[in-house]
């Protein structure tokens, strides 16, 4: 991993959505650092093709994943056993903790192989995350559109274009009132890795 400056760029953008607290640190890592970190993560992490049962059929989920944390995690009926974070993940976690002011003990890692990989509408509201969780997601590789829509009401949906080196933070009541997704697209995007740091309570 490249040497990173001791003082990260703390510039932050706030998104003024009602009943939500969403912000983005656009330069958690520089463009050059992000290229190097992407390659390291691709080889360092134990990427797996998970499968879910849908209408009685077993289907692969449209991305590769791995879970690193102190306890097991169940997410959309997928069970992921506890496994220790790698030294690289620990180092990235410290940067994310410095910037966001929260501490994390686990990370769900996603590898989107191309523009047809995706994650469907959901909220990160599993019981293990406690109420009002802080979820910090660090992006590397190609740009992808991250969409928000309210669970109900008249508030408008909105999109954020997530780029390499961006750190998106969702906290407060966001998971109670909003859903998020990474939609499939027809525009070539290249590969993308997203690390979503969380605090889980067992
Ligand atoms: O890839 C992303 O930016 C989002 C992933 C996500 O929402 C999740 O893992 O819960
Ligand atoms: Mn999520």
């Amino acid at each position: 991993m490249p040497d990173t400056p001791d003082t990260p760029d703390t510039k932050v953008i706030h998104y003024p959505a009602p009943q939500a607290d969403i912000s983005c640190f656009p330069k958690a890592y520089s463009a050059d650092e992000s290229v190097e970190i992407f390659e390291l993560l691709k080889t360092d992490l134990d990427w797996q093709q998970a499968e879910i049962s849908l209408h009685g059929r077993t289907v692969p989920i449209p991305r590769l994943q791995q879970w690193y944390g102190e306890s097991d995690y169940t997410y959309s009926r997928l069970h992921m056993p506890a496994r220790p974070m790698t030294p690289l993940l620990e180092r990235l976690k410290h940067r994310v903790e410095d910037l966001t002011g929260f501490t994390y003990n686990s990370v769900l890692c996603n590898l989107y192989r191309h523009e047809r990989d995706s994650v469907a509408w959901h909220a990160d509201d599993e019981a293990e995350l406690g109420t009002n969780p802080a979820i910090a997601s660090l992006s590397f590789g190609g740009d992808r559109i991250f969409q928000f829509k309210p669970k109900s009401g008249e508030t408008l949906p909105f999109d954020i274009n997530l780029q390499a080196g961006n750190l998106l933070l969702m906290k407060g009541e966001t998971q109670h009132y909003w859903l998020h997704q990474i939609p499939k697209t027809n525009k070539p995007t290249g590969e993308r890795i997203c690390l979503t740091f969380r605090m889980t309570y067992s």
Side-chain angles (χ1 to χ4, degrees):
M1 181 171 161
D3 283 338
T4 50
D6 291 341
T7 44
D9 189 330
T10 54
K11 186 177 154 216
V12 60
I13 298 163
H14 292 279
Y15 295 89
Q19 295 178 301
D21 193 334
I22 302 164
S23 52
C24 183
F25 298 85
K27 284 215 160 136
Y29 287 98
S30 70
D32 286 351
E33 289 167 339
S34 297
V35 170
E36 205 164 330
I37 294 168
F38 176 88
E39 293 304 329
L40 290 169
L41 288 169
K42 220 183 131 180
T43 49
D44 185 49
L45 303 190
D46 181 21
W47 297 106
Q48 301 285 328
Q49 173 66 77
E51 294 178 330
I52 52 165
S53 164
L54 201 64
H55 311 302
R57 285 195 311 135
T58 301
V59 291
I61 65 165
R63 61 193 176 280
L64 303 185
Q65 265 191 336
Q66 190 51 278
W67 167 255
Y68 293 84
E70 291 161 6
S71 2
D72 293 11
Y73 192 55
T74 302
Y75 159 88
S76 289
R77 286 173 288 146
L78 272 174
H79 181 75
M80 292 176 278
R83 60 165 62 209
M85 283 198 208
T86 66
L88 173 60
L89 287 174
E90 288 284 357
R91 191 157 166 197
L92 297 169
K93 179 173 91 84
H94 288 135
R95 167 64 58 96
V96 171
E97 290 178 338
D98 283 351
L99 283 169
T100 65
F102 290 92
T103 51
Y104 308 93
N105 63 1
S106 46
V107 57
L108 178 60
C109 307
N110 295 296
L111 170 57
Y112 302 84
R113 294 158 291 187
H114 45 64
E115 60 279 4
R116 305 305 294 166
D117 270 355
S118 58
V119 64
W121 287 116
H122 69 281
D124 295 326
D125 57 3
E126 290 75 30
E128 301 99 297
L129 299 172
T131 42
N132 296 345
I135 311 282
S137 62
L138 195 49
S139 293
F140 300 103
D143 295 12
R144 292 296 295 257
I145 301 294
F146 190 101
Q147 298 186 311
F148 283 99
K149 77 170 177 187
K151 289 187 183 177
S152 62
E154 285 163 20
T155 314
L156 292 175
F158 65 98
D159 296 351
I160 300 177
N161 184 39
L162 285 183
Q163 300 180 315
N166 289 178
L167 172 62
L168 181 74
L169 176 64
M170 299 182 278
K171 60 179 178 154
E173 294 182 305
T174 309
Q175 305 305 324
H176 294 277
Y177 294 107
W178 291 80
L179 300 173
H180 57 273
Q181 73 162 354
I182 300 277
K184 297 182 194 310
T185 155
N186 291 324
K187 184 181 141 242
T189 58
E191 296 170 304
R192 168 174 182 265
I193 288 175
C194 178
L195 309 179
T196 64
F197 291 92
R198 300 127 192 264
M199 176 63 95
T200 51
Y201 305 91
S202 48

